[in-house]
Amino acid sequence: MRVIAIDDEPLALKQMETYISKVPFLQLVGLFQSAADARKWLEEETADAMFCDINMPDLNGLDFIRQLAAPPLVVITTAYSEYAIEGYKVEAVDYLLKPFGLDEFRRAANKLKKQFDLIMGSAASAQTLAASASAVDDDTADTIFLKTEYKMVKVSIEDIRYIEGMSEYLRIYVEGEEKPIIVLLSMKKIEERLPSHFMRIHRSYIINLKKIQEVNKNRVIMDAKTYLPIGDMYKDTFMGYINKKFLGK
């Protein structure tokens, strides 16, 4: 499991680093002394879980978790027991009251792994079911079913604007939906299912070419708030497509 730790106290953060290194199934991918730095990192990278302090000067840990569109699994770490109820409101997997020892940390880590394994197993079953359904019925070639948050969501392929890869997960941005659909799936798998007007422009992005609003330098602009980078590996193919459509001198 890819995990990050967030705590404004350097000594507490160092302790978390030590504890995480002693749990074989945890891989530390980020240490942050502020929620703002962690949020910025999560915009570009992915984590399966995070250990998050609550009382931090720049941004309260609970507010930080609530602001994330698709937060990782969370274990709250704090010196204040009165936050326990608030922790469960943000669906925290566990709550570690400082100061805590290695045994307590391991118990919380085991709860994380149990929850993570449930999610992974459920998503894998959904993929198998979807593949079987596709083999039986090709009449729904313009739609796909995606497993997210323990339910199956039907999505019209033409409504997909773009897809963002996040390690083992994908964020699928759909026309008319405020938040992306989060699914356990690889970029390669979904590429195989998409028609030719979808193109990979970056190791982390696949776009619906019909939804492009503008191409500006090394960015594709999907809307006023969405600027996607064009990766060097994909630039020639993408610009080849643009040049074929280009009218002008």
Side-chain angles (χ1 to χ4, degrees):
M1 293 177 61
R2 290 165 51 87
V3 300
I4 61 174
I6 310 159
D7 200 306
D8 64 314
E9 299 177 9
L11 289 177
L13 208 56
K14 184 65 178 176
Q15 182 187 55
M16 290 297 298
E17 182 180 15
T18 300
Y19 285 176
I20 290 169
S21 71
K22 294 181 181 296
V23 179
F25 55 81
L26 297 182
Q27 176 193 1
L28 180 63
V29 294
L31 290 170
F32 305 97
Q33 283 188 244
S34 76
D37 287 344
R39 182 171 58 188
K40 184 176 179 181
W41 186 87
L42 285 168
E43 289 174 357
E44 302 292 335
E45 303 291 342
T46 61
D48 300 312
M50 62 182 179
F51 297 87
C52 185
D53 189 20
I54 291 179
N55 284 331
M56 292 183 283
D58 64 331
L59 179 62
N60 177 282
L62 293 170
D63 291 336
F64 160 64
I65 295 165
R66 292 187 187 104
Q67 288 176 14
L68 296 175
L73 297 173
V74 178
V75 171
I76 285 181
T77 62
T78 182
Y80 302 92
S81 59
E82 61 266 29
Y83 284 117
I85 294 175
E86 293 298 320
Y88 288 110
K89 286 182 180 178
V90 295
E91 299 182 352
V93 174
D94 206 357
Y95 183 98
L96 287 171
L97 186 62
K98 298 177 182 179
F100 53 86
L102 180 57
D103 286 344
E104 293 169 282
F105 178 84
R106 281 180 170 147
R107 281 194 290 272
N110 286 330
K111 288 183 180 180
L112 277 178
K113 188 175 188 303
K114 183 178 180 181
Q115 186 68 20
F116 180 70
D117 288 346
L118 280 172
I119 294 170
M120 295 285 281
S122 179
S125 298
Q127 289 179 36
T128 302
L129 178 62
S132 299
S134 177
V136 172
D137 184 7
D138 282 336
D139 290 340
T140 58
D142 59 339
T143 62
I144 53 177
F145 282 87
L146 300 170
K147 173 72 174 181
T148 180
E149 297 179 351
Y150 306 103
K151 60 186 177 183
M152 300 287 286
V153 178
K154 183 180 179 181
V155 176
S156 168
I157 290 176
E158 294 305 311
D159 287 341
I160 297 174
R161 298 175 56 242
Y162 68 97
I163 299 164
E164 179 184 5
M166 313 180 300
S167 187
E168 297 95 347
Y169 295 88
L170 300 178
R171 281 193 181 113
I172 301 178
Y173 293 81
V174 179
E175 201 78 51
E177 296 293 334
E178 184 178 344
K179 293 183 178 181
I181 299 170
I182 311 295
V183 296
L184 176 66
L185 200 62
S186 69
M187 293 286 271
K188 184 176 184 296
K189 274 286 184 185
I190 202 160
E191 271 188 295
E192 293 171 354
R193 183 66 179 82
L194 295 172
S196 59
H197 58 274
F198 283 82
M199 182 180 291
R200 193 163 184 173
I201 61 165
H202 186 274
R203 65 183 180 86
S204 299
Y205 293 103
I206 297 171
I207 64 169
N208 184 341
L209 297 169
K210 296 181 179 181
K211 305 293 184 181
I212 296 174
Q213 289 191 2
E214 186 179 329
V215 179
N216 189 332
K217 297 181 180 178
N218 289 323
R219 300 181 302 178
V220 175
I221 301 174
M222 305 300 289
D223 57 49
K225 296 181 179 179
T226 309
Y227 294 66
L228 305 181
I230 303 170
D232 290 340
M233 287 180 58
Y234 306 92
K235 188 172 183 179
D236 289 347
T237 301
F238 177 69
M239 293 311 299
Y241 164 81
I242 294 297
N243 289 335
K244 285 181 181 177
K245 301 288 183 179
F246 180 71
L247 292 177
K249 295 182 180 180

